[in-house]
Amino acid sequence: MNTAPHTEPRRPLVDRFGRVHTDLRVSLTDRCNLRCTYCMPAEGLDWLARDSVLGDDEVVRLVRIAVERLGVRSVRLTGGEPLLRRGVVGLVGRLAALGVELSLTTNGIGLARTAAQLREAGLRRVNVSLDTLRPERFAALTRRDRIDDVFAGLAAAKAAGLDPVKINAVPVRGVNEDEIVPLVEFAVGHGYRMRFIESMPLDAQGAWERDAMVTADEILARLGERFDLVPVGRHGNAPAEEWRIAGTQAVVGVIASVTRPFCGGCDRVRLTADGQLRNCLFATEESDLRALLRGGADDDRIEEAWRTSIAGKGPGHAVNSAGFVRPERPMSAIGG
């Protein structure tokens, strides 16, 4: 098997529209310890079989190929809930050694006990999902009474030196849109960075309704009633548009995937926990890198498969078109 460093000049991972892909999202597991109402049913989902999930060596090899041969510079670890993966701290250390900017998205429940270890292993940034500050509402939304664990995880992440610590919230009409301003006040007061994300048609139940989505314009209107917002814009190909709260250094971001799609500058590619490469969050087709790994393919063959997948990437997700087709996998199985 060819595992030696690639000696030829690196070619960027570019699609037919000229978009260069440097950001890799790696799902470590499809399992989750919450049952958020907008994500999955109360009974959960049929989890992937253990032997179908990539092992640590397989994850490291694929990320190494992405870094050394394809020009990937940043890696975000996702799930499901990535902190449920056994040995996650050791895996973070191995990935950080590849020289990438390493971040993680989590529900925060396991962060209090792992934040310091993750930072020492090489993790740099963390995003924590938190849709409400109210314990009773958190329990209703997630079907678990664990909000204190999330608060503890946020504090531990900041104390460990992870920077920035971002909070992600999905406002849903009639559910939690009344907390848009309080969430920002909480984040600013604790030194976290707040981001709001428009809800997307990626729930396992297929119950997403456009009318229930709180749009970016509505989010900004509510914030504008409380804060004087100064536009910052978008950093490179980052998904969030940002605004600074006047008179402070605090920044709030909005990811408007539905109403303000940013597909034209997308630089992201996704690897699922079972080794399927997805060139778009809303892709309806996948490339099976796990089969190549376990079939003895060398690095050249895996690189070729990666480039072929990205070359076939479409112009955008088409959520707003009449011909939009939902992906079969929900967000928890794709990786955020």
Side-chain angles (χ1 to χ4, degrees), residues 42-65:
E43 65 273 15
L45 300 170
D46 292 330
W47 309 125
L48 292 168
R50 296 283 186 184
D51 60 359
S52 70
V53 175
L54 295 179
D56 286 3
D57 290 346
E58 293 173 319
V59 171
V60 172
R61 184 180 172 202
L62 288 177
V63 174
R64 178 184 58 76
I65 291 171

Side-chain angles (χ1 to χ4, degrees), residues 9 43 45 56 59 65 101 115 124 177 223 249 264 266 278 335:
E43 65 273 15
L45 300 170
D56 286 3
V59 171
I65 291 171
E101 180 184 346
R124 291 293 173 263
E177 82 271 33
L223 293 176
Q249 295 303 309
C266 180
R278 298 176 63 88

Side-chain angles (χ1 to χ4, degrees), residues 117-170:
Q117 300 172 63
L118 290 167
R119 179 65 182 86
E120 185 176 356
L123 191 71
R124 291 293 173 263
R125 298 182 288 113
V126 67
N127 289 8
V128 178
S129 300
L130 180 63
D131 298 310
T132 177
L133 302 173
R134 303 178 185 179
E136 70 286 353
R137 182 174 283 177
F138 183 92
L141 276 172
T142 67
R143 304 185 177 101
R144 300 291 187 271
D145 187 13
R146 304 293 298 273
I147 195 169
D148 287 341
D149 294 314
V150 181
F151 290 151
L154 284 163
K158 187 169 181 59
L162 293 168
D163 183 44
V165 176
K166 296 181 181 179
I167 297 176
N168 291 344
V170 179

Side-chain angles (χ1 to χ4, degrees), residues 9-178:
R10 177 188 296 163
R11 290 187 294 120
L13 185 59
V14 61
D15 65 19
R16 58 198 169 105
F17 300 97
R19 295 171 295 195
V20 178
H21 296 72
T22 60
D23 186 348
L24 173 62
R25 310 295 170 98
V26 179
S27 176
L28 299 184
T29 178
D30 63 326
R31 297 170 185 262
C32 190
N33 43 11
L34 297 181
R35 298 292 182 270
C36 296
T37 54
Y38 59 81
C39 185
M40 66 178 70
E43 65 273 15
L45 300 170
D46 292 330
W47 309 125
L48 292 168
R50 296 283 186 184
D51 60 359
S52 70
V53 175
L54 295 179
D56 286 3
D57 290 346
E58 293 173 319
V59 171
V60 172
R61 184 180 172 202
L62 288 177
V63 174
R64 178 184 58 76
I65 291 171
V67 172
E68 293 179 356
R69 293 170 171 251
L70 303 171
V72 163
R73 298 194 298 268
S74 60
V75 174
R76 176 174 296 280
L77 303 178
T78 69
E81 172 45 51
L83 297 184
L84 290 179
R85 183 173 175 120
R86 292 182 181 178
V88 65
V89 173
L91 180 56
V92 163
R94 293 178 66 183
L95 294 175
L98 297 174
V100 295
E101 180 184 346
L102 197 60
S103 58
L104 180 142
T105 295
T106 172
N107 61 30
I109 288 178
L111 203 50
R113 59 178 173 78
T114 58
Q117 300 172 63
L118 290 167
R119 179 65 182 86
E120 185 176 356
L123 191 71
R124 291 293 173 263
R125 298 182 288 113
V126 67
N127 289 8
V128 178
S129 300
L130 180 63
D131 298 310
T132 177
L133 302 173
R134 303 178 185 179
E136 70 286 353
R137 182 174 283 177
F138 183 92
L141 276 172
T142 67
R143 304 185 177 101
R144 300 291 187 271
D145 187 13
R146 304 293 298 273
I147 195 169
D148 287 341
D149 294 314
V150 181
F151 290 151
L154 284 163
K158 187 169 181 59
L162 293 168
D163 183 44
V165 176
K166 296 181 181 179
I167 297 176
N168 291 344
V170 179
V172 177
R173 198 175 312 285
V175 177
N176 64 336
E177 82 271 33
D178 58 331

